[in-house]
Amino acid sequence: MRLLVVGADRVDAGKTTFAAGLIRFLDATGFKPRAGNDYWFDHDDYREAVGSGRLYGKDAKRLVEAAATDALPEAINPIHRLWRPAPDGDTFLGPANRTFVLDRAGDEFVVNEHAAVPTSARDALPLEDAITVGTLDELNEVTRDRYLPLLDDLSDRIRRTEPAVVESYGDVARPLRDLAVDRVAVVEPARTRIYDGDRFDNACAVTSGSPGEGSLEERVGEVIDLIDPLEAVELPPLTAPERNDPDAIAERYAPAYQAMV
């Protein structure tokens, strides 16, 4: 069984909390194909990672902890991006007030030559041999050559894993385009809606348009406008200790997980 967890909101939808509880509920393995954090807004998480000479985020860390294995976050999250604020709008990629600084792609790094890389990152990460990109075309080339093979390898691992829980990023509907899933949970504050995996994938294909436009990421809101959920389940509010305890999440969200499987 392969289950996908996506968020109806760009941020703070609660999908990592939902995914962590689902992993514990099913004794599953979690995967986070792409992730990112912000040097400013997620500074504690950033410092924890670079303090050990690594780059990962709290979402992937929570998923491996929920699975109760000794796997590293990087093992389930091949691509991780570091952002930082760009208050003057000097951005290379991303929203108007935030810019891409560097990526970890497997065990390699890709650096934006226009961004101010934090000194702590230069000191802690092996950036001397990093790939440098200065234009969107260059980043797209690196994506084709370096990122997509990593995602293909991850898809193969997920197909061999039973059960598997895949968490998307932001409000992106399909983190892995060639991976079929059985059910999709669209998580938002106070509820989740459960969708059939095939119908969700078909709606993604319609939303993406013609094959020439297929490189664009489908947004969850546009996809679910085209299909009806199998079921909608209310999610109770959680205390801070509960949100950090996969067993407590599994218990509180059990009706949603039962509806999903």
Side-chain angles (χ1 to χ4, degrees):
M1 178 181 293
R2 292 189 293 271
L3 306 172
L4 174 62
V5 178
V6 303
D9 293 337
R10 181 172 289 273
V11 293
D12 295 332
K15 58 184 179 293
T16 302
T17 296
F18 187 94
L22 181 59
I23 290 167
R24 186 60 59 88
F25 184 83
L26 293 175
D27 192 20
T29 301
F31 298 90
K32 179 85 174 180
R34 302 188 187 191
N37 57 4
D38 189 289
Y39 174 74
W40 179 268
F41 294 102
D42 307 304
H43 195 65
D44 287 346
D45 302 315
Y46 162 82
R47 287 178 62 87
E48 177 182 327
V50 298
S52 57
R54 298 156 58 198
L55 186 65
Y56 61 86
K58 63 182 178 182
D59 290 355
K61 181 182 177 184
R62 288 185 66 189
L63 297 188
V64 296
E65 290 175 346
T69 71
D70 57 1
L72 296 176
E74 296 95 322
I76 67 163
N77 168 224
I79 300 172
H80 184 89
R81 173 160 292 173
L82 178 66
W83 304 89
R84 72 180 305 162
D88 296 326
D90 183 17
T91 63
F92 167 58
L93 180 70
N97 61 348
R98 193 169 64 161
T99 190
F100 146 61
V101 177
L102 59 87
D103 286 347
R104 175 185 53 75
D107 56 4
E108 296 184 301
F109 289 88
V110 179
V111 176
N112 171 12
E113 68 178 26
H114 304 296
V117 178
T119 301
S120 52
R122 291 201 179 276
D123 290 343
L125 303 176
L127 301 183
E128 298 82 2
D129 298 323
I131 301 167
T132 301
V133 295
T135 67
L136 187 56
D137 286 342
E138 291 175 352
L139 181 59
N140 287 339
E141 182 178 355
V142 171
T143 297
R144 289 190 298 269
D145 294 343
R146 307 297 180 104
Y147 296 11
L148 294 184
L150 291 170
L151 295 176
D152 288 342
D153 288 345
L154 186 70
S155 293
D156 289 341
R157 284 179 52 203
I158 294 171
R159 293 187 187 97
R160 299 192 300 267
T161 302
E162 180 68 30
V165 174
V166 181
E167 182 193 345
S168 189
Y169 56 101
D171 61 346
V172 171
R174 284 193 296 186
L176 295 166
R177 286 180 169 271
D178 62 345
L179 181 72
V181 297
D182 298 292
R183 290 287 185 271
V184 181
V186 176
V187 182
E188 57 193 312
R191 70 169 178 176
T192 185
R193 286 171 283 179
I194 311 300
Y195 293 84
D196 174 77
D198 288 339
R199 295 198 65 198
F200 190 87
D201 190 62
N202 290 338
C204 287
V206 171
T207 304
S208 67
S210 65
E213 299 168 345
S215 61
L216 297 177
E217 295 173 329
E218 304 91 4
R219 301 299 170 183
V220 170
E222 297 174 352
V223 172
I224 62 177
D225 281 345
L226 301 179
I227 52 176
D228 293 325
L230 299 173
E231 190 167 353
V233 183
E234 181 179 349
L235 297 177
L238 303 178
T239 65
E242 287 174 330
R243 286 195 300 272
N244 293 317
D245 182 351
D247 287 320
I249 302 166
E251 180 179 351
R252 297 294 307 281
Y253 284 3
Y257 299 149
Q258 290 164 353
M260 193 172 188
V261 303

